[in-house]
Amino acid sequence: FLANVQRAHFRERGGILGLNIGKNAATPIEHAVDDYLIGLAGAYPHADYVTVNISSPNTKNLRALQSDEALDALLGTLRRRQAELADQHGRRVPMFVKIAPDLDDTQVGVVAATLQRHRIDGVIATNTTIARDAVKHLPHGDEAGGLSGAPVFEASNRVIRQLRAALGPAVAIIGVGGVMSGADALAKHEAGADLVQ
């Protein structure tokens, strides 16, 4: 991963590069923080921001890290390491947390409060969905894994609106999910996203 990043010239051409870190599939959830710490240290010198992915449905048990206690512990550890890396590298690389579109209102509120408590720079809303309502009538609509594209659009926008209401203007939100047109990107902005992927 890092070799590929180092070979790329995206940042040299003015691109803003966010690098995504997460738990390896084979790592037990109780040792997930170890993978994130390795990922943060490795990505830090090469990134304009680092994304802490706690929401990929394709990594077993990863979404358990979105719960109150698990998220609090993970972000506390990562923020301390971020401060150490900032001193070591002479620059502070912002940290974003990527969350799922399948969270209910209470869960979104817990995530927002935890982001504020740890002074996380921003949130990426959202990852892919495990919901199949929008595709259940299609031939492969019951397949497992994260579903992206148009079916995640409204769920993502709902989470963005809830986050903006909870976080106020101080925490950056990157809107992701189902952006198929310029109008979709504008809808993300109107829901409260500062930036759109």
Side-chain angles (χ1 to χ4, degrees), residues 21-29 31-32 34-36 38 59-60 62:
I21 61 172
K23 176 186 95 61
N24 286 310
T27 302
I29 196 69
H31 298 294
D34 299 333
D35 287 359
Y36 284 96
I38 292 167
T59 303
K60 186 178 178 182
L62 184 68

Side-chain angles (χ1 to χ4, degrees), residues 21-186:
I21 61 172
K23 176 186 95 61
N24 286 310
T27 302
I29 196 69
E30 58 270 17
H31 298 294
V33 69
D34 299 333
D35 287 359
Y36 284 96
L37 288 169
I38 292 167
L40 181 60
Y44 198 94
H46 310 288
D48 293 302
Y49 67 93
V50 174
T51 300
V52 178
N53 187 343
I54 56 169
S55 55
S56 172
N58 302 323
T59 303
K60 186 178 178 182
N61 296 327
L62 184 68
R63 288 185 171 198
L65 294 174
Q66 295 175 120
S67 69
D68 190 5
E69 291 179 9
L71 183 59
D72 193 55
L74 176 66
L75 294 184
T77 300
L78 291 178
R79 281 287 283 127
R80 287 188 292 276
R81 186 66 178 126
Q82 180 191 29
E84 293 168 359
L85 290 165
D87 289 342
Q88 180 183 333
H89 292 280
R91 71 182 185 108
R92 187 179 179 283
V93 175
M95 194 162 51
F96 283 67
V97 175
K98 189 170 188 178
I99 65 171
D102 308 305
L103 301 174
D104 63 30
D105 293 358
T106 301
Q107 291 169 315
V108 172
V110 166
V111 168
T114 307
L115 295 174
Q116 288 176 310
R117 185 164 50 254
H118 291 286
R119 297 181 180 172
I120 299 300
D121 300 291
V123 58
I124 299 179
T126 62
N127 211 319
T128 56
T129 183
I130 56 173
R132 291 294 184 270
D133 299 345
V135 295
K136 62 185 176 186
H137 62 286
L138 297 175
H140 300 286
D142 60 349
E143 290 183 354
L147 181 64
S148 60
V152 77
F153 182 70
E154 288 301 333
S156 169
N157 288 358
R158 175 188 59 83
V159 172
I160 292 168
R161 282 190 291 274
Q162 290 174 310
L163 286 169
R164 182 53 69 210
L167 295 171
V171 179
I173 297 174
I174 299 177
V176 186
V179 178
M180 314 295 282
S181 68
D184 293 340
L186 182 60

